[in-house]
């Protein structure tokens, strides 16, 4: 298993993609065909033509409000292959050296940066300076300092910065968030997030400190961090954390294998989470309140997501997450839509500050205050 994406795909299974539907209204709309979309379309270039880039490209075939029109890669052969496969015009293809010339291309609105984490900051800043909106895969950077530089660069260039939080548009996730906001679970007291799989190839970039910024925490633990925030509806104010490393040869200095961490929230709720590269079957969320509960498993895989509450199952037709994500991001960029759960750079920056605090807590062995 070379990546969390392959693992999650295998674990969660696959489902027939339905026509693109708005995230939380999917169930209501699924019964009848929708009229052809007539509005503006976000024209996107993908930067980084790896396995996840291809997943996004395939998903965008079903988008109504976003279209793949450009490519950026450091591998000439990939550019040629993708250009033919997706019908991309030669003038919309760039390598890493010519990327800055994209500022002269009026046919590209946004660039989706899908590279190793350690390259996110530099590419995002270059895209922003070229005057294009930035969509960046999560985690948005190697640390909060880099994330802040990305936020600042996009603000200075007056372009939007969005982070690839596909779960923020997933209908079962949103339904449970709605139920929590409506008070169905009463006072929220506890959240548990389990995120992990057994990683394969020890030479891959995800086990390279410079490229990944860490290990399991950056790759898969970020789901429990982000999930704790949207499930509880608050940002944590302190963290404690413990690291376990059973294979120091594979997981070298600065590359975490397994970290358990605990988060405290201003309303009194606490979270207990596990991030690991050494255990399979870990993709679960549990939210507990004094009047009810919600659980999800799989909770962040590529789908279908499964959820239930103390009142029964929560079901919606499965729609490819990246298809919904890109259509929704089109509305955010072109129409100024405000998503129910934020996906902007400030949202990503908060997660990076929490990650930094977790690593600090591991080193110190104490409780670390999280400062936003």
């Amino acid at each position: 298993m070379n990546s969390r994406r392959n693992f999650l795909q295998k674990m969660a299974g696959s489902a027939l993609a339905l026509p693109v539907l708005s995230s939380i209204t999917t169930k209501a709309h699924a019964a009848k065909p929708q009229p052809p979309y007539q509005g503006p379309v976000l024209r996107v270039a993908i930067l980084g033509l790896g396995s996840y880039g291809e997943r996004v490209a395939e998903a965008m075939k079903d988008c109504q409000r976003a279209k793949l029109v450009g490519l950026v890669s450091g591998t000439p052969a990939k550019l040629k292959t993708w250009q033919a496969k997706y019908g991309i015009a030669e003038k919309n293809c760039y390598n890493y050296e010519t990327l800055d010339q994209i500022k002269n291309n009026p046919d590209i609105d946004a660039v989706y940066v899908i590279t190793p984490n350690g390259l996110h900051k530099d590419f995002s800043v270059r895209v922003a300076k070229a005057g294009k909106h930035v969509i960046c895969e999560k985690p948005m950077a190697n640390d909060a300092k880099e994330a802040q530089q990305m936020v600042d660069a996009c603000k200075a260039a007056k372009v939007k910065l969005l982070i690839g939080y596909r779960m923020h548009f997933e209908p079962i996730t949103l339904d449970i968030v709605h139920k929590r906001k409506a008070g169905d679970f009463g006072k929220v007291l506890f959240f548990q997030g389990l995120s992990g799989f057994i990683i394969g190839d020890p030479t891959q970039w995800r086990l390279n400190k410079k490229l990944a910024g860490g290990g399991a925490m950056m790759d898969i633990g970020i789901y429990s961090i982000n999930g704790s925030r949207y499930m509880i509806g608050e940002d944590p104010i302190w963290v404690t954390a413990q690291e376990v490393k059973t294979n120091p040869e594979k997981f070298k200095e600065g590359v975490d294998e397994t970290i358990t961490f605990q988060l405290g929230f201003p309303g009194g709720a606490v979270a207990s989470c596990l991030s690991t590269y050494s255990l399979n079957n870990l993709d679960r969320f549990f939210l507990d309140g004094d009047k009810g509960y919600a659980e999800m498993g799989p909770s962040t895989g590529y789908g279908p997501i499964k959820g239930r509450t103390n009142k029964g199952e929560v079901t919606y037709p499965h729609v490819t997450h990246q298809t919904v994500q890109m259509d929704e991001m089109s509305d955010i960029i072109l129409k100024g839509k405000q998503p129910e759960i934020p996906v902007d750079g400030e949202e990503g920056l908060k997660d990076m500050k929490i990650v930094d605090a977790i690593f600090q807590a591991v080193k110190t062995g104490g409780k670390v205050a999280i400062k936003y």
Side-chain angles (χ1 to χ4, degrees):
M1 205 74 63
N2 291 331
S3 72
R4 73 177 186 278
R5 301 182 175 94
N6 290 335
F7 165 73
L8 292 174
Q9 181 184 25
K10 181 178 180 181
M11 178 183 66
S14 60
L16 183 64
L18 301 176
V20 179
L21 306 169
S22 178
S23 57
I24 198 58
T25 57
T26 298
K27 182 179 288 186
H29 287 179
K32 59 182 180 180
Q34 298 299 300
Y37 177 70
Q38 301 292 333
V41 173
L42 183 71
R43 300 165 299 176
V44 179
I46 290 180
L47 190 161
L49 309 184
S51 60
Y52 192 71
E54 187 162 15
R55 181 176 290 276
V56 172
E58 288 296 310
M60 288 186 70
K61 290 179 178 179
D62 293 326
C63 285
Q64 294 181 355
R65 306 189 296 277
K67 181 180 181 182
L68 177 62
V69 301
L71 305 170
V72 186
S73 176
T75 307
K78 282 188 178 181
L79 279 174
K80 290 297 182 183
T81 300
W82 280 54
Q83 185 181 351
K85 183 175 182 179
Y86 297 104
I88 307 299
E90 179 68 31
K91 66 182 182 62
N92 290 351
C93 295
Y94 300 86
N95 58 41
Y96 294 158
E97 287 70 37
T98 62
L99 170 63
D100 305 304
Q101 297 174 17
I102 204 169
K103 66 181 178 181
N104 301 316
N105 191 332
D107 296 331
I108 295 175
D109 303 311
V111 177
Y112 195 161
V113 179
I114 311 178
T115 63
N117 312 332
L119 305 178
H120 286 178
K121 188 261 291 184
D122 287 346
F123 279 128
S124 295
V125 169
R126 289 176 66 184
V127 170
K129 288 182 176 179
K132 305 299 180 182
H133 300 292
V134 180
I135 303 171
C136 181
E137 190 47 37
K138 64 188 179 308
M140 67 182 289
N142 271 5
D143 53 39
K145 180 180 179 181
E146 289 186 354
Q148 185 66 64
Q149 291 174 332
M150 293 165 63
V151 170
D152 292 345
C154 289
K155 284 183 178 179
K158 294 182 171 56
V159 297
K160 290 188 182 298
L161 170 60
L162 305 181
I163 310 303
Y165 289 119
R166 58 188 167 81
M167 302 312 301
H168 293 201
F169 308 108
E170 196 280 319
I172 293 176
T173 301
L174 288 172
D175 188 290
I176 290 175
V177 169
H178 288 166
K179 286 178 167 60
R180 186 258 301 158
K181 289 181 177 180
D184 287 17
F185 312 128
K187 179 178 174 58
V188 174
L189 303 170
F190 176 74
F191 171 83
Q192 182 186 51
L194 304 178
S195 301
F197 63 93
I198 298 175
I199 198 166
D201 180 9
T203 65
Q204 64 180 282
W205 70 262
R206 288 180 180 84
L207 297 178
N208 180 310
K209 166 68 173 174
K210 183 176 181 180
L211 290 177
M217 182 62 62
M218 299 293 285
D219 185 20
I220 193 72
I222 191 76
Y223 284 103
S224 284
I225 293 171
N226 190 250
S228 74
R229 296 174 53 226
Y230 61 68
M231 293 289 278
I232 292 174
E234 295 180 342
D235 295 328
I237 54 177
W238 59 259
V239 63
T240 55
Q242 305 80 35
E243 180 177 6
V244 175
K245 187 171 291 192
T246 65
N247 188 344
E249 283 297 316
K250 187 173 185 178
F251 304 99
K252 294 180 169 51
E253 180 68 25
V255 179
D256 51 287
E257 176 184 353
T258 300
I259 292 178
T260 56
F261 59 98
Q262 303 76 43
L263 301 167
F265 294 79
V270 293
S272 177
C273 302
L274 170 65
S275 165
T276 183
Y277 267 159
S278 292
L279 294 169
N280 277 337
N281 309 310
L282 292 180
D283 181 14
R284 298 184 178 275
F285 286 174
F286 178 76
L287 184 72
D288 198 27
D290 60 5
K291 293 182 180 179
Y293 70 86
E295 58 184 2
M296 300 171 66
S299 56
T300 61
Y302 290 141
I305 300 301
K306 294 183 179 180
R308 69 186 304 270
T309 73
N310 52 292
K311 295 182 179 180
E313 299 294 322
V314 180
T315 60
Y316 285 83
H318 173 66
V319 182
T320 301
H321 298 169
Q322 294 82 1
T323 303
V324 178
Q325 171 194 322
M326 296 309 296
D327 269 342
E328 291 291 324
M329 286 185 167
S330 172
D331 285 351
I332 293 169
I333 291 173
L334 299 181
K335 300 178 181 178
K337 181 177 180 178
Q338 295 298 314
E340 294 199 48
I341 307 174
V343 293
D344 56 24
E346 297 289 350
E347 177 80 358
L349 176 59
K350 287 181 180 179
D351 281 344
M352 296 315 305
K353 289 182 176 180
I354 297 169
V355 169
D356 285 357
I358 289 172
F359 287 151
Q360 183 180 352
V362 166
K363 290 180 179 179
T364 64
K367 180 185 289 187
V368 174
I370 304 171
K371 299 178 181 180
Y372 301 101

